[in-house]
Amino acid sequence: MTAPGPVPVLRVRDLVKEYGEGDARVRALRGISLDVERGDYVAIMGASGSGKSTLMNILGCLDIPTSGTYLIDGADVGRLDEHQLAILRNRRVGFVFQSFNLIPRMSALANVELPLVYGGIGQADRRARALAALEQVGLTDRVHHEPNQLSGGQQQRVAVARALVTAPALLLADEPTGNLDTASTGDVLEIMDRLNESGRTIVIITHEDDVAKHAKRVIRLVDGEIVEDRRQAPVDGPPPRLPEKDRVAAR
C-alpha cells in the first residue's frame, strides 16, 4: 500500500465567492482550485478586479468563501468556529501587508512580540523569539525604534519579522513592496528569497512582474478564474542594489 504524500500547506477546491444578490450579484471568484506545497514560493498576479485580493483574504482566513473547500496545513477552514479561526490565523499564517500595519508609539521589538502576546507566550520566550526574528531581517540595531523613526523599508522589514515570529506554516504577503522605493524593494525581496531558500512557504500577491520574477511559480487570475499556472526559474541572486550612498538617499 502506497504511503500518503505530504499534506500541502494550502489545498483549495472549487472556491467561489459572490457578493450582493440578484442583478447586483458579483462573482469575485469562479471555482478556484490549487495546491501549494511546503517550501513553495508562489506569486498570485492579476489586474485590479481580477479577484486576487478576494483570494488573499480567504487564504488568510480573513473572509469565507460562498462555496468550495479550503484547507491550510491539513485543517479544513470551513469547519472551524470563530475562536478556532483566530487561533489558526495567529499560529499558522504570517501576514505582510502593503501598508505595514505597525502600531505607532510601540518599538519594533514590541510590534514583533504582539502575535506572541495574543498567543499567550511568556515574556522571556516572547522576547527571545522577537529578537531572533528581527535579526533574520537585519534590524538588530533598530529594536527599540518606533515606526516613525524608521524608513519605509525598515518598517516593512519589521512587519516581515512580526509575520515570522510565530513560525507559521504560510507567509502571506499582499503587495509587500507597493509602498517602497527601489532600494527598499530590493531589501525586502532579498529577505523573502532567503526565507524561501531556508524552507519557508510564501504566497505573494502582486501586480508587478519584477516582484513575481522572484517566485518559483506564477498563478495569474482574470475575472475570478485561473488563466495561467506555471513554474519558472526564479531570478539568480538578489535584485540589483544601488550604491550605499544612493541607497541611503533613496530612503
Side-chain angles (χ1 to χ4, degrees):
M1 183 175 177
T2 304
V7 175
V9 173
L10 296 180
R11 171 156 284 173
V12 174
R13 290 294 179 270
D14 301 319
L15 214 61
V16 172
K17 181 64 178 180
E18 297 178 344
Y19 298 99
E21 298 180 357
D23 292 340
R25 186 176 65 176
V26 174
R27 298 192 78 192
L29 297 177
R30 302 168 180 260
I32 298 289
S33 295
L34 62 93
D35 286 352
V36 175
E37 305 296 337
R38 202 166 305 277
D40 210 349
Y41 189 173
V42 181
I44 297 179
M45 303 192 71
S48 178
S50 63
K52 66 182 189 299
S53 294
T54 300
L55 180 59
M56 191 226 53
N57 287 335
I58 292 174
L59 296 182
C61 304
L62 301 172
D63 197 1
I64 57 174
T66 303
S67 63
T69 57
Y70 167 41
L71 281 69
I72 179 167
D73 223 17
D76 188 341
V77 174
R79 297 179 180 271
L80 304 181
D81 60 29
E82 282 299 321
H83 177 68
Q84 292 169 322
L85 272 176
I87 292 174
L88 184 143
R89 278 194 299 266
N90 180 265
R91 297 180 181 175
R92 299 196 188 182
V93 183
F95 295 97
V96 181
F97 299 99
Q98 178 176 340
S99 56
F100 318 143
N101 288 3
L102 301 180
I103 307 298
R105 297 181 296 282
M106 285 179 63
S107 68
L109 183 61
N111 267 284
V112 174
E113 284 184 304
L114 208 52
L116 301 178
V117 173
Y118 295 145
I121 306 299
Q123 184 176 8
D125 188 18
R126 199 165 70 216
R127 181 63 50 91
R129 288 168 64 175
L131 287 170
L134 284 164
E135 183 178 8
Q136 277 190 280
V137 299
L139 286 178
T140 53
D141 59 341
R142 295 288 189 274
V143 296
H144 299 300
H145 288 60
E146 296 179 1
N148 65 1
Q149 298 172 309
L150 300 172
S151 69
Q154 289 168 340
Q155 290 184 62
Q156 191 61 298
R157 283 191 274 162
V158 172
V160 172
R162 181 184 57 193
L164 293 173
V165 76
T166 59
L170 171 68
L171 185 63
L172 187 59
D174 184 18
E175 301 281 5
T177 62
N179 286 340
L180 303 181
D181 58 46
T182 302
S184 297
T185 291
D187 289 339
V188 170
L189 290 175
E190 184 178 349
I191 290 168
M192 293 285 191
D193 294 349
R194 195 165 65 243
L195 290 171
N196 180 249
E197 288 168 6
S198 70
R200 185 72 58 189
T201 307
I202 298 174
V203 173
I204 187 168
I205 309 293
T206 183
H207 66 277
E208 300 180 48
D209 289 330
D210 287 346
V211 173
K213 286 177 182 176
H214 288 255
K216 298 174 180 175
R217 176 183 175 195
V218 175
I219 295 173
R220 194 175 299 273
L221 299 183
V222 174
D223 294 334
E225 296 180 299
I226 294 176
V227 298
E228 180 182 32
D229 186 348
R230 61 178 171 83
R231 289 277 167 187
Q232 65 179 12
V235 293
D236 293 327
R241 296 163 70 88
L242 297 173
E244 185 60 31
K245 62 181 179 63
D246 295 332
R247 285 157 53 81
V248 171
R251 296 180 201 182

